[in-house]
Amino acid sequence: MNHLRTRAVHAGQKPDPASGAIATPISQTSAFAYGTLENGAAIFAGEADGYRYSRFANPTVKALEDKIADLEGAETAVAFSSGTAAVSSVVLSQLSPGDEIVFLGPLYGGTESLFNAFDGRFGIRVVDAAERGLEASLSPATRLIWVETLTNPTLHLHDLTAVTALARARGITTVADNTFCSPYLTRPLEHGIDLVMHSMTKYLGGHGDSTGGVLAGAERLIAPVRATGMGHVGGNLAPHEAFLILRGVKTLPLRMAAHCAGAAEVAAFLSSHPAVAATHYPGLASHPQHALARRQMEGGYGGIVSFELARGTRRAAAALLDNLKLFTQAVSLGDVDSLACHPASTTHSFISPEARARSGIGEGLIRLSVGIEHPQDLIADLREALAASAAAE
Ligand SMILES: Cc1ncc(COP(=O)(O)O)c(C=O)c1O
């Protein structure tokens, strides 16, 4: 098998048979001509190959799905209009009233709030394993275990092999949100996870210009999610977005290498700065799970760095963030541009203050998405903003 860097360029793509175009054409169409009634009936019955309607499948989207399936080592993949559409489609297709989903928090706030919405309205029980530990949280009603390969925003890791051992013994499906790592750093299926999910809005797209989601795994697991996600949720990815993300994925390995190198330098700087109480980055030897990160991650430790200001107040956080010049204050992550945000008031404002406290998301916590700019310029920006924050008191 070719290296990931080669597959990122070539997988899922071949020159367009009609025109010879090397870049995958944008199939900007809602429906597809099937010619005869007989052929239409065969396509609808699943007895003949062919496209029928872009909500169900589209050639540009299919090229992207094939590329992601290849990079994650999966049999197949299905793309969605956003990461959140992928999450809802999994929940709606896998769970019935009375079933439980156990998650290993902290999670991206939007995912946790989505789970809580289902918990209240559709009789699905949502269990946060942080309260009693994973094994004690599982019950005969548990259908799904949800985990993030690097948690948002505190950069905690879960041992995927240990999680899957517990799940497999009980016939529970495991889903890993691999958004923060991308297949460049971690491929959850290699650790026994059943389904891998991404917000493609982040590293896979990589340029902050599109939203998308994807789920990869075995056909028997993906087929029902596709049926619900496209047939009932209508969460299909648009062909133009698929084209942009396809283009982004080609440079994923190059970008990830730059993100990781930059984040490592930024983390080293922050961890020795007197105004910083703690720096969360799995590449630091001081990270409590550095040994697990070395085993589970490959080629680096990611592009996200979170840190806690010694003066852990919202005022101190605002003074820092408002004085950054190269880092743009915004949510999202994984873009070539560096971004900075205050999770307690943005990405994690949807969850309760108690859940935030349990997850270590305080008022002084800042999350950086380190872009591909020169790390020394980013460090200079942070140094000045930290000084301005100190002077603001
Ligand atoms: C880890 C993680 N999962 C899922 C999502 C949701 O993805 P989207 O915004 O594409 O719906 C996000 C968004 O920030 C995220 O950070």
Side-chain angles (χ1 to χ4, degrees):
M1 188 164 49
N2 286 322
H3 293 84
L4 189 94
R5 189 164 147 181
T6 305
R7 291 187 281 124
V9 176
H10 292 283
Q13 285 184 262
K14 39 189 175 312
D16 178 43
S19 65
I22 296 167
T24 304
I26 305 174
S27 296
Q28 193 69 44
T29 182
S30 45
F32 299 83
Y34 42 74
T36 64
L37 184 149
E38 192 185 350
N39 192 39
I43 291 173
F44 270 77
E47 290 157 5
D49 286 341
Y51 293 96
R52 44 182 169 152
Y53 188 53
S54 277
R55 176 155 56 76
F56 296 115
N58 172 285
T60 318
V61 176
K62 171 87 168 68
L64 176 61
E65 291 171 341
D66 289 349
K67 197 185 273 299
I68 303 299
D70 184 288
L71 297 184
E72 285 289 4
E75 198 180 339
T76 190
V78 54
F80 297 86
S81 54
S82 67
T84 304
V87 183
S88 334
S89 301
V90 173
V91 175
L92 285 170
S93 62
Q94 303 292 308
L95 301 175
S96 305
D99 287 348
E100 288 179 1
I101 178 164
V102 174
F103 73 88
L104 285 133
L107 294 181
Y108 162 60
T111 303
E112 198 168 329
S113 110
L114 185 156
F115 287 164
N116 289 336
F118 280 111
D119 186 20
R121 298 188 53 208
F122 300 107
I124 293 163
R125 229 170 72 80
V126 181
V127 180
D128 181 350
E131 286 161 24
R132 296 192 300 140
L134 179 59
E135 191 161 7
S137 303
L138 303 176
S139 83
T142 310
R143 294 281 166 274
L144 279 186
I145 296 176
W146 197 280
V147 59
E148 290 179 358
T149 47
L150 251 191
T151 65
N152 182 359
T154 47
L155 302 167
H156 185 83
L157 282 93
H158 298 287
D159 186 334
L160 300 181
T161 311
V163 170
T164 54
L166 284 176
R168 288 202 164 174
R170 294 164 176 79
I172 300 168
T173 303
T174 47
V175 189
D177 179 337
N178 199 25
T179 300
F180 270 43
C181 288
S182 89
Y184 177 80
L185 296 173
T186 303
R187 288 168 301 282
L189 303 188
E190 290 176 3
H191 300 269
I193 291 285
D194 296 309
L195 289 169
V196 56
M197 176 251 148
H198 287 273
S199 164
M200 296 196 289
T201 315
K202 312 298 185 322
Y203 288 109
L204 293 175
H207 294 75
D209 54 10
S210 44
T211 61
V214 72
L215 200 72
E219 175 63 30
R220 78 181 163 80
L221 292 172
I222 295 289
V225 187
R226 183 188 283 280
T228 299
M230 305 304 133
H232 301 148
V233 177
N236 57 296
L237 182 68
H240 187 251
E241 302 287 273
F243 172 83
L244 290 172
I245 299 170
L246 259 176
R247 186 169 62 167
V249 178
K250 289 190 178 209
T251 56
L252 175 77
L254 303 182
R255 287 184 286 104
M256 286 309 293
H259 287 299
C260 292
E265 279 194 50
V266 166
F269 162 75
L270 290 170
S271 63
S272 61
H273 196 285
V276 175
T279 305
H280 307 296
Y281 187 64
L284 290 174
S286 58
H287 188 283
Q289 296 163 301
H290 182 59
L292 175 61
R294 285 170 69 108
R295 282 205 311 278
Q296 206 161 271
M297 300 176 79
E298 192 182 298
Y301 299 97
I304 311 296
V305 182
S306 295
F307 64 100
E308 289 166 38
L309 290 167
R311 282 192 297 112
T313 61
R314 184 171 289 203
R315 195 153 165 237
L320 171 95
L321 288 165
D322 296 353
N323 279 289
L324 286 168
K325 295 188 178 65
L326 278 179
F327 283 87
T328 301
Q329 236 189 111
V331 293
S332 205
L333 55 105
D335 297 0
V336 288
D337 300 50
S338 288
L339 306 172
C341 80
H342 180 245
S345 63
T346 58
T347 52
H348 290 71
S349 59
F350 309 107
I351 60 171
S352 68
E354 297 75 39
R356 277 203 297 276
R358 211 168 40 238
S359 302
I361 305 168
E363 289 293 335
L365 184 77
I366 309 288
R367 185 188 79 187
L368 303 177
S369 173
V370 176
I372 61 166
E373 303 94 333
H374 198 292
Q376 289 307 318
D377 295 333
L378 298 176
I379 288 170
D381 193 25
L382 285 164
R383 188 182 286 115
E384 280 180 29
L386 282 162
S389 168
E393 263 302 279

